[in-house]
Every structure is written in C-alpha cells, then in structure tokens.
Amino acid sequence: FLEVILQTAPMQYAHQYLRAKKGSEIPSSQAEFQKLLFKIWFDFYRREGVKDSSGFEHVFVGEVKDGKVSGLHNWIQFYLEEKKGNIDYRGYIKPRGHSDAETNSDDHVLTLQFDWNGVEKFVGTSFIGTSPEFEMALYTTCFLLGEEDNPITLNTGTDIFELKIRCYKMARDKIGTSFPEATAHYEE
C-alpha cells in the first residue's frame, strides 16, 4: 500500500513539502520516508488492550471501543460498510456558514451521524470523494508538522469549506486520529 501511494502526486508533494519545512528531520530517500510512514500509520500502540490499534486502522477502517464507534473517517470505508448493510446513515450536521449554503451532491466534506453494526457514532466528519492518498498526505503533513488543530480553506470550485484538520498523537510518535472538522461552508 505505502509503495503504491508514494508514487502518487499528493504523497510526493507531501514528502517534498515536509522536507522543505522540517529539513533533515524528514528522510530524503523515498525508502526511508516509507519507513517513517509505516511507523506513524501502521505501528500498533495501546488504545485499550495491549497494542490493539494503529492510526491507519482508526482513521481509515474504524474501531469499536467501549461500546462506541471510534474513527472511521474515510468515505470509501463508509461506502463499503453501508453497501454490506453494516451502516445505518442517520443524517448530516451542517457546519456554521457565511451564507445559506446547501449540503448537496458536490460537497466534499460532511459531518455525519450513523450506526455501525448496532453502535452509534453521533459525530463523524469525512472528506467525500477524495483519494486515500490525498487524505494520507494531508494528515501526514499535519501530524509531522506537529499541530493538533490545522486551519485550512478548501475551495472545491463550487464550495468553500473552512476546516480544521484535527491530528492527535498516540504513544508520543504515532497518529492516534486525524480528521477534518468543518467550521464553515459557503458556496462560491
């Protein structure tokens, strides 16, 4: 997986950007950068039991911990689980906006409520229609630059979203979770 996504433009851009911002703290070779990505995304750490979670599992696959849905911030996984009948979509939560922007088929960020295998998730925000490599590049960049709250503006050509990319650490050097939080949405 990492070998393949490291060939994509979003991940190559993230690697170059991180090298420019952090210098020698970020490996220059793709092979060493891949090792760093494996460590922060796929190394297991303790969330509940003994080394029972990873950043990738939490963000892209989802977990149920203490009777609550945790993570599952990826629209592709959401779609696959819904297609299998494991997700009951309960609706969306509209972010604050500068106008009366409507949530419609061209939106790329949604805050959802859903039930996954009988367990409720009251609030979960995901990008919609983006590639996994875009999400991994964005979340990796935010994580390695060391910020928990990363304000960005996303202009999709039809809508503008003001977002905070939330990025929290686990075990000091691994991604615990990362997801977008829509703080405003308005149409161009």
Side-chain angles (χ1 to χ4, degrees):
F1 175 76
L2 289 176
E3 260 182 56
V4 172
I5 67 163
L6 279 168
Q7 302 304 315
T8 66
M11 289 303 294
Q12 289 175 4
Y13 181 85
H15 187 196
Q16 292 168 2
Y17 183 81
L18 288 163
R19 285 277 303 153
K21 292 289 186 184
K22 301 283 274 187
S24 62
E25 292 179 46
I26 304 298
S28 60
S29 80
Q30 188 169 327
E32 290 301 311
F33 187 58
Q34 182 176 331
K35 287 179 186 176
L36 175 61
L37 291 174
F38 186 88
K39 175 184 165 190
I40 67 174
W41 280 104
F42 293 95
D43 270 1
F44 284 101
Y45 52 78
R46 182 174 189 251
R47 193 179 290 272
E48 267 191 0
V50 176
K51 294 193 175 185
D52 62 341
S53 187
S54 73
F56 186 85
E57 177 185 11
H58 181 86
V59 173
F60 288 93
V61 179
E63 306 173 284
V64 175
K65 305 284 184 183
D66 294 326
K68 296 178 185 173
V69 175
S70 179
L72 211 167
H73 299 292
N74 179 261
W75 74 273
I76 297 171
Q77 176 70 358
F78 186 93
Y79 166 77
L80 293 172
E81 288 296 304
E82 188 177 37
K83 189 175 175 181
K84 289 191 257 181
N86 295 335
I87 285 188
D88 179 16
Y89 169 70
R90 302 281 172 90
Y92 66 91
I93 300 167
K94 187 175 178 180
R96 298 181 301 273
H98 298 296
S99 70
D100 294 325
E102 294 295 320
T103 299
N104 53 36
S105 63
D106 66 2
D107 288 348
H108 293 281
V109 181
L110 287 177
T111 300
L112 309 171
Q113 296 176 320
F114 59 92
D115 179 280
W116 185 31
N117 291 320
V119 182
E120 190 80 21
K121 178 138 185 169
F122 295 101
V123 178
T125 306
S126 298
F127 286 106
I128 307 296
T130 57
S131 68
E133 58 268 24
F134 166 80
E135 292 180 38
M136 186 167 270
L138 179 62
Y139 298 153
T140 297
T141 300
C142 292
F143 178 79
L144 292 174
L145 291 178
E147 301 297 325
E148 285 188 351
D149 293 331
N150 302 276
I152 66 167
T153 300
L154 175 65
N155 184 335
T156 66
T158 56
D159 293 280
I160 297 173
F161 293 91
E162 291 180 18
L163 305 172
K164 282 186 186 173
I165 304 301
R166 303 283 189 170
C167 197
Y168 298 103
K169 295 180 180 183
M170 288 292 287
R172 292 188 338 259
D173 61 353
K174 295 170 185 61
I175 292 175
T177 191
S178 196
F179 56 91
E181 178 184 304
T183 57
H185 168 217
Y186 44 100
E187 294 179 4
E188 259 192 328

